[in-house]
């Protein structure tokens, strides 16, 4: 297991270099250069040259990449062009809100997708299975931001049951902590519901397919043939094996959930990293954009790594296979 | 017969109607999609089937012209993704070795970005317009196809007909494009239908955030852009474009799945 972990960690290095290269060249796609952002056209040429030298923009691109990389390794992602604060601080401040939102949606999705998928595989072609399948297709075809608008329209605007936007109610800021915590929960309901409904669809289908595949295996037929009760066959023999492929999906669905946060946070005015990113895009705030691209890519890679390790841990074939070598 | 499949038939009919509406948009649309013709935020009526928007434009006419834009963006983007993905996957699967390694690492890297944010960032650097949207969506969505095609090539290249082709002296490119690729076409077509649905969703999200198709050109996504501010006064502004996106994408998924089941029954 240690050897496996070490191998996986080594594989991260080229991946991170590739990500940083793509990120860096995306920023260099920009026509003109960043000095356009804070200089006026009538700035003196020698003044402009000085500013460009200050930013290292007079050097060749590959040298600039190298400087940038060294800075990133030191944890220096540059400063926000508008507020002048370090990008790392800005991102870390917003990260808890994003993790709360995506984390809740993530957990809820898996808690619902696994039983729905398993049950519809066990009751294949029943009305339950058919409605789950139809619901899955509907979920995959629904634009998340539109579902957000509709939920907002029904539950916040028409019925007025839940707050539409934000994370806190401003007037409650001096209340005791449990009232404020409850307030955050109320604000969480609509965005979490949106994210869960959208990501639930694909996962349910995946879990259904995984379970169906296992149910067709010879050892399930053997288990049935030797007269085991159906309950034991499903829960002890089939379910445990059908859960293994889902672990990979833990990792693979991370980019989707994170990507969803950019849109959902913007629609619901949720003060997280996603909304910060969309704002940065509109401000053409390059250091902040690059910081968020690198940061979310990094989180996704770590998530994938954890999922792979979990996979190796739950699947004895991988764990023991490593030992044999 | 494939039309026995109810959801497939439903999908085909919806897509056919939408394609007709898109092609003949100027003949069908009762009003100028960009013209301010009425009082703003009128509720749906016999005169304006889908009502009017915040600027007093006829939403029905805009939806028809929007079909043109959204379907075209989806089609071009997915064609690009299929071309890149097929080429990458074919090369990686056929040659293996270091080429396979390089392509698959590139796929891993591209998959590690939350694609919607990468798209937003690139769009912000370029000037957002309809052509950039098509190209950028295509360039960021080929990875699934590449993996799929690679897997097909890995298994097909071991088959005897490939060995036979090699034995009679066929060139690599002839084996790849004339012998193996036609056998891998089913999953590519299915991926194309599903991918076009995905591209339409992506376009709508980008346009909704203001980084996709730019007004006054209507797309289903940018029609939703202003809807949020008028949720109370004009909910139809939010409801109608969303239902159209939903129907288009759902139909594409139904068609993709229907094709998969019909062309490849043993894998279901």
């Amino acid at each position: 297991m240690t050897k496996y972990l070490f191998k996986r960690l080594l594989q991260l290095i080229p991946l991170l270099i590739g990500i940083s290269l793509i990120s860096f060249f995306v920023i260099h796609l920009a026509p003109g250069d960043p000095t356009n952002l804070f200089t006026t056209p009538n700035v003196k040429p020698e003044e402009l040259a000085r500013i460009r030298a200050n930013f290292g923009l007079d050097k060749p691109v590959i040298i600039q990449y190298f400087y940038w990389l060294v800075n990133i390794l030191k944890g220096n992602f540059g400063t926000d062009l508008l507020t002048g604060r370090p990008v790392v601080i800005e991102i870390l401040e917003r990260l808890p809100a994003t993790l709360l939102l995506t984390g809740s949606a993530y957990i809820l999705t898996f808690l619902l997708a696994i039983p729905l998928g398993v049950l519809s595989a066990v009751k294949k072609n029943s009305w339950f299975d058919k409605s789950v399948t139809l619901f899955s297709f509907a979920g995959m075809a629904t634009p998340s931001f539109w579902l957000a608008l509709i939920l907002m329209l029904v539950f916040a605007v028409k019925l007025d049951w839940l707050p539409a936007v934000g994370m806190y109610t401003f007037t409650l800021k001096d209340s005791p902590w449990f009232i404020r915590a409850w307030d955050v929960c109320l604000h969480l309901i609509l965005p979490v519901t949106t994210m869960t409904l959208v990501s639930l669809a694909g996962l349910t289908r995946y879990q259904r397919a995984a379970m169906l595949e296992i149910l067709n295996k010879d050892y399930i037929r053997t288990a049935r043939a030797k007269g085991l009760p159906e309950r034991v066959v499903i829960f002890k023999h089939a379910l445990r094996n059908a859960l293994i492929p889902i672990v990979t999906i833990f990792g693979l669905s991370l980019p989707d959930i994170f990507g969803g946060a950019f849109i959902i946070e913007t629609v619901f005015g949720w003060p997280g990293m996603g909304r910060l990113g969309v704002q940065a895009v509109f401000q053409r705030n390059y250091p902040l954009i690059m910081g968020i691209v690198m940061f979310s890519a990094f989180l996704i890679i770590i998530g994938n790594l954890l999922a792979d390790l979990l996979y190796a841990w739950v699947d004895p074939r991988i764990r023991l296979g490593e030992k044999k070598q | 017969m494939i039309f026995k499949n109810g959801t497939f038939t439903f999908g085909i009919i919806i897509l056919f109607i939408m394609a007709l509406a898109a092609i003949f948009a100027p003949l069908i649309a009762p009003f100028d999609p960009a013209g301010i013709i009425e009082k703003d935020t009128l509720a749906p009526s016999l005169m304006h089937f889908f009502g009017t928007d915040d600027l007093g434009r006829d939403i029905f006419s805009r939806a028809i012209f929007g079909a043109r834009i959204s379907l075209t963006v989806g089609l071009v983007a997915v064609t690009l993704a299929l071309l890149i993905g097929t080429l990458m996957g074919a090369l990686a699967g056929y040659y293996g070795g270091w080429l396979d390694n390089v392509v698959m690492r590139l796929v891993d890297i591209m998959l590690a970005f939350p694609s919607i944010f990468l798209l937003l960032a690139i769009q912000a650097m370029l000037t957002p317009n309809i052509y950039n949207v098509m190209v950028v969506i295509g360039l960021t969505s080929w990875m699934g196809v590449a993996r799929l095609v690679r897997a097909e090539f890995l298994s097909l290249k071991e088959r005897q007909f490939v060995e036979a082709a090699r034995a009679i002296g066929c060139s690599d490119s002839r084996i790849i494009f004339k012998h193996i690729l036609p056998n891998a076409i089913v999953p590519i077509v299915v991926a194309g239908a599903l991918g076009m649905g995905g591209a339409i969703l992506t376009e709508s999200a980008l346009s909704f955030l203001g980084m996709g198709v730019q007004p006054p050109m209507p797309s289903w996504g940018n029609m939703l852009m202003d809807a949020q501010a008028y949720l109370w006064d004009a909910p139809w502004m939010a409801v109608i474009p969303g239902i159209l996106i939903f129907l288009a994408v759902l139909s594409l998924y139904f068609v993709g799945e229907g094709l998969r089941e019909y062309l490849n029954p043993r894998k279901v």
Side-chain angles (χ1 to χ4, degrees):
Chain A
M1 194 74 189
T2 339
K3 201 174 145 197
Y4 182 71
L5 179 68
F6 190 68
K7 204 172 93 190
R8 289 305 320 254
L9 282 175
L10 270 184
Q11 283 171 352
L12 285 190
I13 296 170
L15 202 57
L16 282 171
I17 291 178
I19 287 170
S20 67
L21 264 174
I22 290 188
S23 308
F24 190 79
F25 285 99
V26 164
I27 205 176
H28 277 265
L29 271 178
D33 71 51
T35 54
N36 297 349
L37 286 170
F38 35 83
T39 54
T40 52
N42 40 23
V43 92
K44 287 191 200 102
E46 57 266 34
E47 190 82 345
L48 195 66
R50 194 180 54 79
I51 296 173
R52 289 177 55 85
N54 263 346
F55 282 95
L57 292 170
D58 51 343
K59 307 238 167 32
V61 178
I62 194 74
I63 305 282
Q64 289 186 40
Y65 170 72
F66 190 68
Y67 280 145
W68 184 73
L69 197 62
V70 169
N71 269 325
I72 292 221
L73 290 176
K74 285 193 265 181
N76 177 6
F77 282 79
T79 46
D80 184 324
L81 293 181
L82 273 110
T83 61
R85 300 168 67 219
V87 165
V88 183
I89 306 278
E90 297 254 352
I91 294 176
L92 288 179
E93 269 178 10
R94 306 293 192 98
L95 201 55
T98 296
L99 291 180
L100 178 66
L101 178 66
T102 49
S104 318
Y106 199 49
I107 293 171
L108 201 62
T109 304
F110 278 94
L111 284 181
L112 290 170
I114 292 173
L116 281 178
V118 167
L119 215 61
S120 62
V122 171
K123 298 180 182 293
K124 195 186 169 198
N125 289 333
S126 66
W127 67 266
F128 176 80
D129 178 34
K130 283 186 180 140
S131 28
V132 166
T133 303
L134 203 63
F135 167 80
S136 304
F137 272 109
M140 287 192 286
T142 308
S144 61
F145 61 90
W146 180 66
L147 184 62
L149 288 181
I150 296 300
L151 289 178
M152 223 188 244
L153 174 66
V154 174
F155 294 101
V157 178
K158 295 285 178 202
L159 296 172
D160 200 19
W161 287 351
L162 292 163
V165 290
M167 186 171 171
Y168 314 99
T169 308
F170 187 67
T171 47
L172 293 176
K173 71 178 175 8
D174 297 320
S175 314
W177 68 268
F178 54 88
I179 295 195
R180 277 179 292 141
W182 175 243
D183 183 46
V184 171
C185 286
L186 286 180
H187 281 86
L188 260 178
I189 294 178
L190 286 183
V192 168
T193 309
T194 313
M195 290 182 87
T196 307
L197 284 177
V198 170
S199 45
L200 188 59
L203 272 170
T204 307
R205 276 187 70 72
Y206 193 85
Q207 177 67 77
R208 177 178 178 272
M211 187 71 179
L212 275 181
E213 198 187 319
I214 299 290
L215 285 176
N216 282 327
K217 287 263 154 83
D218 284 342
Y219 61 79
I220 297 295
R221 198 171 308 134
T222 312
R224 285 203 178 115
K226 71 179 184 186
L228 287 179
E230 190 63 14
R231 182 174 42 84
V232 177
V233 175
I234 300 290
F235 286 101
K236 263 199 115 172
H237 294 245
L239 185 60
R240 288 169 68 174
N241 287 301
L243 288 180
I244 292 176
I246 277 295
V247 173
T248 337
I249 298 296
F250 273 124
L252 287 180
S253 60
L254 266 181
D256 286 343
I257 298 235
F258 251 101
F262 286 99
I263 295 169
I264 297 298
E265 285 185 6
T266 305
V267 178
F268 285 105
W270 189 260
M273 189 176 80
R275 193 167 75 119
L276 184 71
V278 175
Q279 284 167 345
V281 163
F282 278 97
Q283 298 158 348
R284 307 257 189 310
N285 200 335
Y286 298 113
L288 195 53
I289 297 177
M290 295 328 295
I292 291 175
V293 169
M294 285 297 292
F295 222 81
S296 34
F298 187 70
L299 283 178
I300 288 167
I301 289 185
I302 296 294
N304 272 324
L305 179 69
L306 287 179
D308 276 358
L309 295 179
L310 197 62
Y311 191 81
W313 181 66
V314 292
D315 192 341
R317 282 169 299 188
I318 296 181
R319 210 175 353 141
L320 299 175
E322 283 292 314
K323 254 180 206 160
K324 245 184 254 164
Q325 284 166 6
Chain B
M1 205 26 208
I2 190 166
F3 286 103
K4 271 189 187 151
N5 182 337
T7 52
F8 176 86
T9 314
F10 170 85
I12 285 287
I13 291 173
I14 296 282
L15 288 177
F16 186 67
I17 295 172
M18 283 183 173
L20 281 184
I23 293 167
F24 299 109
L27 300 177
I28 300 169
F31 297 96
D32 173 9
I36 296 161
I37 41 93
E38 252 319 337
K39 268 179 58 197
D40 54 8
T41 60
L42 283 178
S45 64
L46 277 178
M47 180 75 171
H48 301 285
F49 301 131
F50 294 166
T52 62
D53 67 6
D54 55 317
L55 294 175
R57 296 172 297 191
D58 179 52
I59 296 181
F60 182 67
S61 305
R62 287 177 64 71
I64 288 173
F65 275 90
R68 222 176 208 200
I69 306 294
S70 294
L71 296 179
T72 311
V73 171
L75 196 62
V76 175
V78 82
T79 308
L80 192 60
L82 286 181
L83 284 177
I84 302 174
T86 304
L87 195 64
M88 292 278 204
L91 291 177
Y94 185 77
Y95 289 105
W98 65 268
L99 190 63
D100 184 28
N101 255 321
V102 170
V103 171
M104 285 302 113
R105 286 303 81 73
L106 187 62
V107 166
D108 287 345
I109 291 167
M110 294 294 292
L111 283 175
F113 290 106
S115 61
I116 188 75
F117 189 59
L118 191 64
L119 283 168
L120 279 174
I122 297 174
Q123 284 294 96
M125 313 275 170
L126 309 165
T127 22
N129 64 40
I130 177 171
Y131 305 105
N132 287 340
V133 176
M134 296 176 187
V135 174
V136 172
I137 294 178
L139 287 178
T140 51
S141 58
W142 53 270
M143 294 85 76
V145 183
R147 281 190 166 172
L148 196 104
V149 173
R150 173 180 175 268
E152 289 289 321
F153 266 69
L154 278 181
S155 74
L156 285 172
K157 77 172 178 187
E158 306 294 338
R159 299 271 283 272
Q160 275 184 347
F161 68 89
V162 175
E163 210 173 303
R166 204 170 287 136
I168 58 170
C170 289
S171 65
D172 278 355
S173 69
R174 193 177 165 85
I175 295 177
I176 291 176
F177 292 109
K178 285 265 154 86
H179 293 267
I180 303 186
L181 197 57
N183 284 293
I185 212 72
V186 171
I188 297 178
V189 170
V190 172
L194 304 182
M196 184 170 162
I200 291 177
L201 280 180
T202 311
E203 180 274 322
S204 72
L206 281 178
S207 300
F208 171 70
L209 292 173
M211 282 290 168
V213 177
Q214 296 297 303
M217 191 184 270
S219 93
W220 291 337
N222 75 17
M223 288 172 73
L224 283 164
M225 196 160 56
D226 304 313
Q228 193 169 9
Y230 293 88
L231 269 189
W232 177 261
D233 300 308
W236 54 89
M237 272 177 70
V239 174
I240 284 158
I243 289 180
L244 293 173
I245 299 171
F246 172 76
L247 276 178
V249 179
L250 188 70
S251 304
L252 282 163
Y253 286 171
F254 279 164
V255 169
E257 283 294 316
L259 280 177
R260 194 209 307 270
E261 278 177 38
Y262 179 69
L263 297 170
N264 204 355
R266 84 199 137 80
K267 271 193 184 167
V268 177

